Amino acid sequence: MERGISISENKLADLISSAGETQAELFKKAHDTRIKHVSERVYYRGLIEFSNICRNDCCYCGIRKSKDIPRYRMSPSEILEAAEIAVNAGVSSLVLQSGENNSKENEEFILKVVKDILDSFPGISLTLSLGELTDDTLEKLYSLGAERYLLRIETSDPELYGKLHPAEMPYDKRVGRLEKIRSIGYQTGTGVMIGLPFQTPESLAEDLTFMRDFDVDMVGMGPYIPEEGPSGLESRYSAEERLNMTLNMTALLRILMPDINIVAATALQAIEPFGREMALRAGANVIMPLITPGKYREYYSLYDGKPCAGEEAQDCLKCITGRIRSAGLSPAPEEKGDSLHFQKRTKRF
Ligand code: 5AD
């Protein structure tokens, strides 16, 4: 297993807030590490946000249960059509994401959709991002052939986690789900939001340590985007600070865990038009083109100013390829792009 260098939490906290020359050096080191361990290739994950129905009420989230927004769930044939667009464009890896819905009916729905996709497009790899599912559902989905699961820890600070989530969502349960996901055999992904209310550089340093100690295979972490208006929880940090902290966290994680997959967070683009390119230059090696049909995008607004709202799958695929090239890296949509870390961890390599 590729172990990165070890950096003390104090030093990590300093580097998370760094700017100027120190930051430029950090990005250079992260980029060199990335080229050495995971090459110049950037993998694609075509993202289908198939439903915004959610039973949780996380106070930062634009699709939380108490928000009065139109709710949708795409039909199985709409989901297959969306998948087909991505596959025809040469994308070999898809992500199915939705709000958390543990009803029996929805479990059957998800099982059917996963089976349909894997039957229709043999050879593609599927990542699920469906929240805290039961052992039984997670196991059934894995047996069908879903290989990867993403569940952000959101913050590894139990106290902060408690402030942001309802009592029905205890921190320990979140960690327990992540452990279960890994023990079933999924390539396991997690991540955090950066610049949350009450969050400090020290707490973000602990997030990095959490991810390293948990030995995750993939990470997606992006800036917190506060909601406009009276119900919005303000960040202590300006947009520029959140951009910088996210890029610094990305670079540090690449140095700490050289062979994992790290996403250039879509949310970066909500605060800086070239935010994703900047993350690709700071160690990120995965990007998620949005495949959700245009008509549903406005209802899956996890945060204000989410990019690509008025576009369709083809627009996003084209645009992403340009973004990767402009960052001086190689688009690799056709590669499944398994986490090298996972392959080594499970000795499949
Ligand atoms: N700002 C940034 N990211 C957010 N998410 C939810 N709400 C916000 C927000 N306001 C992220 C969470 C979740 C992912 C799907 O979207 O981290 O896990």
Side-chain angles (χ1 to χ4, degrees):
M1 200 102 46
E2 230 43 79
R3 276 267 164 215
I5 58 168
S6 116
I7 311 177
S8 75
E9 275 194 4
N10 279 345
K11 178 89 181 139
L12 282 175
D14 279 353
L15 289 169
I16 287 165
S17 321
S18 68
E21 224 169 275
T22 318
Q23 185 183 43
E25 265 171 43
L26 176 64
F27 290 176
K28 167 140 191 2
K29 186 154 178 43
H31 189 68
D32 291 349
T33 309
R34 168 255 175 68
I35 298 294
K36 178 161 173 229
H37 293 271
V38 291
S39 86
E40 75 299 337
R41 289 194 292 280
V42 178
Y43 303 129
Y44 287 46
R45 311 289 181 233
L47 175 61
I48 306 174
E49 301 153 327
F50 69 86
S51 171
N52 66 354
I53 298 168
C54 191
R55 65 176 187 155
N56 290 329
D57 214 26
C58 312
C59 67
Y60 48 81
C61 183
I63 63 165
R64 65 183 178 273
K65 184 173 149 197
S66 61
K67 250 202 131 181
D68 185 18
I69 50 167
R71 299 286 166 171
Y72 72 89
R73 186 176 73 184
M74 289 165 62
S75 68
S77 61
E78 284 177 314
I79 299 174
L80 271 183
E81 269 169 43
E84 194 175 3
I85 293 174
V87 173
N88 285 345
V91 174
S92 305
S93 173
L94 301 174
V95 182
L96 287 178
Q97 190 178 80
S98 71
E100 190 174 295
N101 177 352
N102 284 19
S103 72
K104 195 73 205 151
E105 187 273 332
N106 196 54
E107 177 195 285
E108 272 157 31
F109 175 89
I110 297 168
L111 290 169
K112 173 178 164 45
V113 167
V114 167
K115 186 168 179 334
D116 284 355
I117 291 185
L118 292 171
D119 286 349
S120 308
F121 310 110
I124 68 145
S125 79
L126 204 52
T127 304
L128 303 177
S129 175
L130 311 171
E132 298 178 20
L133 299 179
T134 60
D135 289 5
D136 189 46
T137 313
L138 287 169
E139 273 154 14
K140 283 183 188 149
L141 288 164
Y142 184 75
S143 318
L144 283 178
E147 294 167 85
R148 310 172 181 166
Y149 204 100
L150 275 178
L151 183 72
R152 283 188 175 180
I153 189 77
E154 313 295 2
T155 167
S156 67
D157 174 345
E159 204 183 312
L160 178 54
Y161 188 96
K163 283 193 181 130
L164 301 172
H165 296 97
E168 307 80 70
M169 274 183 87
Y171 176 78
D172 291 348
K173 175 155 183 258
R174 193 79 169 178
V175 177
R177 288 301 77 200
L178 259 184
E179 279 164 354
K180 184 69 198 180
I181 287 162
R182 188 178 45 195
S183 75
I184 290 173
Y186 285 103
Q187 289 182 47
T188 304
T190 193
V192 295
M193 283 176 288
I194 296 165
L196 287 165
F198 315 109
Q199 200 177 35
T200 58
E202 289 71 29
S203 162
L204 288 165
E206 280 173 29
D207 290 341
L208 291 175
T209 312
F210 173 90
M211 293 186 251
R212 194 200 44 207
D213 292 350
F214 199 92
D215 207 20
V216 291
D217 304 307
M218 18 189 230
V219 168
M221 53 187 175
Y224 165 61
I225 315 283
E227 193 174 286
E228 304 252 327
S231 60
L233 267 183
E234 256 192 66
S235 173
R236 311 169 44 202
Y237 299 99
S238 68
E240 195 186 341
E241 286 170 322
R242 281 176 280 130
L243 168 68
N244 274 322
M245 292 197 301
T246 303
L247 296 172
N248 295 343
M249 289 275 287
T250 303
L252 285 166
L253 188 65
R254 171 60 65 207
I255 295 165
L256 291 172
M257 302 189 77
D259 57 1
I260 65 168
N261 281 340
I262 306 178
V263 181
T266 311
L268 278 170
Q269 208 178 308
I271 52 181
E272 155 59 50
F274 295 102
R276 285 201 275 184
E277 288 87 330
M278 292 162 95
L280 289 174
R281 294 291 304 178
N285 70 326
V286 172
I287 203 156
M288 296 173 80
L290 201 51
I291 305 301
T292 311
K295 68 173 176 175
Y296 293 116
R297 293 188 181 191
E298 66 174 302
Y299 304 122
Y300 205 85
S301 291
L302 296 170
Y303 46 84
D304 290 344
K306 190 157 166 266
C308 324
E311 295 177 14
E312 292 289 345
Q314 287 88 346
D315 306 319
C316 289
L317 286 163
K318 238 188 264 160
C319 159
I320 292 259
T321 306
R323 286 178 186 277
I324 297 169
R325 292 222 171 94
S326 79
L329 296 162
S330 309
E334 70 293 340
E335 286 185 46
K336 282 175 66 180
D338 281 317
S339 160
L340 207 57
H341 188 78
F342 172 81
Q343 293 178 304
K344 290 182 188 163
R345 178 165 78 72
T346 53
K347 306 261 183 306
R348 295 187 190 183
F349 194 64

